[in-house]
Amino acid sequence: MSSEQDSSPKPEKRGLFSRWRRKNKAVEPAQPAVVASQNAPPAQQSDLPQEPLKTPELSEPLVRAKVEAAAVEVTEVVTQANTPVEPEAVAEVPAKVSVPVATPVQNAPVAVSQIQPVSPAEQPAVEKIEAQPLGSMPGELPIKPEGDKAENKKRPNRFSRALSRTSAGLGAFFLGRKEISDELLEELETLLLMADVGVDVTTDIIGELTARVKRGELNDSDTLKAELHRVLLDIVSPCEQALDVSGKQPFVLLVVGVNGVGKTTTIGKLAQRFQREGRSVMLAAGDTFRAAAVEQLQVWGERNDVAVVAQHTGADSASVIYDAIESAKAKNIDVLIADTAGRLHTKSNLMEELEKVKRVMAKLDEAAPHEVLLVLDAGTGQNALNQMHEFNQAVGITGLALTKLDGTAKGGVAFALSRRFKVPLRYVGLGEGVDDLQVFRAEDYVKAVLSDVD
């Protein structure tokens, strides 16, 4: 092989043709782009002029024949080098260059040095995109899994939200526990006492659970929690008795309790509840001792469009309630709710005044009051038992309303009251809203106390 064939082509040749084509592009018609064939002999291409051609003679038929012979090989080179081919005018070759068409040249080096195959190592790495689950890519809406893959979160009901502070101890106690030991039972006993279940009731509960553990009936924390649920439900279920105001007209409801437990607020919520049931309601402002108590009850009356019987501050409470009963009978009112002044259960003279109110009511109706509702603040804890004892002796309590359960962790006092007095628990206050005074439901209450919902 000659030295001319061994010599590598000069890279500036393509630049000369490009400049010449750009210069003559405006004169010649547009033609498909032509890439120099790699089969062209280097000796022939070495005769190309080294300076720009000014007035070359065109030989278009010969160029076209050469392009058709090398089209396949040039296409492969261009594809590997990822070099885009732009449409340009047909390269014009001077008349001095003779291009043999009939004699193919084999194994000739590539004349165009700019087009080189790219090795695999030099090729740009293709970024791999991992498969992403549906709904995880940006801009996609989250897709909820179906079936067992769905995240089943417990939605707390109104009882669970109100008793969340109480359940923060008892409900969370069983999370992650499996084995039952003496230490576990002692810790459970402490939590029951902190929730104001009471010493006597707590002792009975722990004794029953311990006996079942020794008999092998309780094996892990799940069975222990289920048994505790059953025991607590047995305690409060007998006290789940809704208030029935039918059969008497007017049905006289006397509300009593110590200062600050929420008697007047409870009366306003009860009035709205009875109205939604389609009953006519009248209020008696029997709390003539506390300042602005009459005005507060009148505001509730205006809010619910209910008549309020009231006198000036300092008037006899018994006389106010007496007038209210007469007015309710004359107007065929379904329910009369009588408010009374808050009094400490330790003050005997105030408790005697409450007995007087009851005697005066009996003059107009021997069965009145048909319901004596004691309002207790759940936050007072075991002191609620003393209040229940004293008021029960004075006027005979027939129903309970346990308020402010959403603001205390002592919701267990309901179990102590139910076990000791067995008085119907009519209503529970689960918040400040009008609809937050709910009828007591034993099953919902126990579930809320033992709930593990955040």
Side-chain angles (χ1 to χ4, degrees):
M1 183 177 296
S2 64
S3 60
E4 293 180 354
Q5 293 179 344
D6 295 337
S7 61
S8 60
K10 296 181 180 181
E12 60 270 18
K13 294 179 181 180
R14 187 180 182 182
L16 295 176
F17 278 111
S18 299
R19 289 196 297 270
W20 181 86
R21 285 195 299 269
R22 287 195 298 271
K23 184 177 181 180
N24 294 273
K25 185 175 182 180
V27 180
E28 300 298 331
Q31 299 293 339
V34 178
V35 180
S37 171
Q38 65 178 2
N39 293 329
Q44 297 173 356
Q45 295 197 15
S46 62
D47 296 333
L48 294 174
Q50 300 299 325
E51 296 180 358
L53 301 179
K54 297 182 179 179
T55 57
E57 297 181 3
L58 301 180
S59 182
E60 182 175 350
L62 295 178
V63 175
R64 288 185 178 276
K66 184 61 181 179
V67 169
E68 292 175 358
V72 177
E73 296 179 0
V74 171
T75 303
E76 295 178 353
V77 174
V78 174
T79 303
Q80 294 179 359
N82 296 323
T83 303
V85 180
E86 299 179 357
E88 297 179 353
V90 178
E92 302 297 339
V93 181
K96 295 180 180 180
V97 182
S98 60
V99 182
V101 178
T103 306
V105 180
Q106 299 180 356
N107 301 325
V110 180
V112 184
S113 61
Q114 286 83 352
I115 303 176
Q116 297 292 340
V118 181
S119 62
E122 297 177 355
Q123 292 182 356
V126 180
E127 183 180 358
K128 296 182 179 180
I129 302 177
E130 299 180 357
Q132 300 292 337
L134 293 177
S136 62
M137 297 297 291
E140 290 185 0
L141 294 177
I143 300 176
K144 294 183 178 180
E146 299 179 357
D148 296 335
K149 296 182 181 180
E151 186 177 5
N152 296 324
K153 290 185 178 180
K154 298 179 182 178
R155 183 178 182 181
N157 55 23
R158 186 170 294 180
F159 279 79
S160 297
R161 289 194 299 268
L163 294 168
S164 59
R165 296 190 179 185
T166 304
S167 63
L170 288 173
F173 170 74
F174 295 96
L175 294 176
R177 297 178 179 269
K178 294 300 179 183
E179 298 180 358
I180 299 178
S181 60
D182 294 339
E183 291 77 9
L184 185 141
L185 292 175
E186 290 179 1
E187 187 176 352
L188 178 59
E189 181 179 8
T190 302
L191 291 175
L192 290 173
L193 292 174
M194 292 177 62
D196 269 330
V197 176
V199 177
D200 296 337
V201 180
T202 300
T203 302
D204 294 341
I205 293 174
I206 296 298
E208 186 173 350
L209 294 177
T210 303
R212 296 202 61 179
V213 171
K214 291 181 178 179
R215 292 195 299 266
E217 299 176 0
L218 304 178
N219 301 322
D220 52 25
S221 60
D222 293 336
T223 56
L224 179 64
K225 182 178 180 179
E227 180 61 19
L228 178 60
H229 181 279
R230 184 194 64 81
V231 173
L232 295 177
L233 188 60
D234 291 342
I235 294 175
V236 295
S237 290
C239 298
E240 182 183 351
Q241 300 178 23
L243 178 62
D244 184 12
V245 298
S246 60
K248 303 290 183 179
Q249 192 177 12
F251 185 93
V252 182
L253 175 60
L254 182 65
V255 181
V256 298
V258 300
N259 298 304
V261 296
K263 294 188 306 298
T264 305
T265 302
T266 301
I267 290 173
K269 294 178 179 180
L270 285 174
Q272 191 175 77
R273 172 177 288 274
F274 293 142
Q275 281 187 317
R276 288 200 300 264
E277 295 176 357
R279 306 180 188 277
S280 57
V281 182
M282 178 178 288
L283 304 180
D287 186 0
T288 58
F289 178 77
R290 180 172 62 90
V294 175
E295 290 78 0
Q296 183 182 1
L297 194 64
Q298 288 175 340
V299 169
W300 276 105
E302 295 175 359
R303 192 178 296 175
N304 298 323
D305 194 17
V306 172
V308 179
V309 177
Q311 294 183 12
H312 59 85
T313 301
D316 184 27
S317 177
S319 64
V320 175
I321 296 177
Y322 184 90
D323 294 342
I325 294 177
E326 285 187 333
S327 178
K329 286 186 174 182
K331 297 179 180 179
N332 295 323
I333 299 296
D334 295 326
V335 181
L336 172 64
I337 306 177
D339 190 13
T340 59
R343 62 204 71 226
L344 295 176
H345 55 282
T346 56
K347 300 295 183 179
S348 57
N349 57 332
L350 295 178
M351 298 301 291
E352 291 176 357
E353 182 182 0
L354 194 59
E355 295 176 3
K356 174 187 175 182
V357 171
K358 187 176 180 180
R359 291 195 303 268
V360 171
M361 295 172 67
K363 293 181 180 180
L364 296 175
D365 188 347
E366 294 181 357
H370 305 102
E371 175 81 3
V372 180
L373 186 68
L374 174 63
V375 181
L376 296 173
D377 184 352
T380 59
Q382 292 299 300
N383 191 31
L385 299 177
N386 298 329
Q387 297 177 23
M388 174 64 189
H389 176 72
E390 297 297 331
F391 278 97
N392 191 36
Q393 284 188 339
V395 291
I397 302 301
T398 58
L400 294 175
L402 195 61
T403 63
K404 305 181 183 180
L405 283 168
D406 58 319
T408 182
K410 300 179 180 181
V413 68
F415 303 102
L417 291 168
S418 300
R419 172 64 68 88
R420 180 173 176 179
F421 298 101
K422 295 181 174 56
V423 175
L425 185 54
R426 308 291 193 186
Y427 302 99
V428 286
L430 306 179
E432 299 179 357
V434 175
D435 295 331
D436 289 331
L437 184 68
Q438 293 289 313
V439 176
F440 176 74
R441 294 189 296 272
E443 179 69 25
D444 292 342
Y445 194 89
V446 175
K447 283 183 179 180
V449 169
L450 298 179
S451 173
D452 56 359
V453 177
D454 294 336

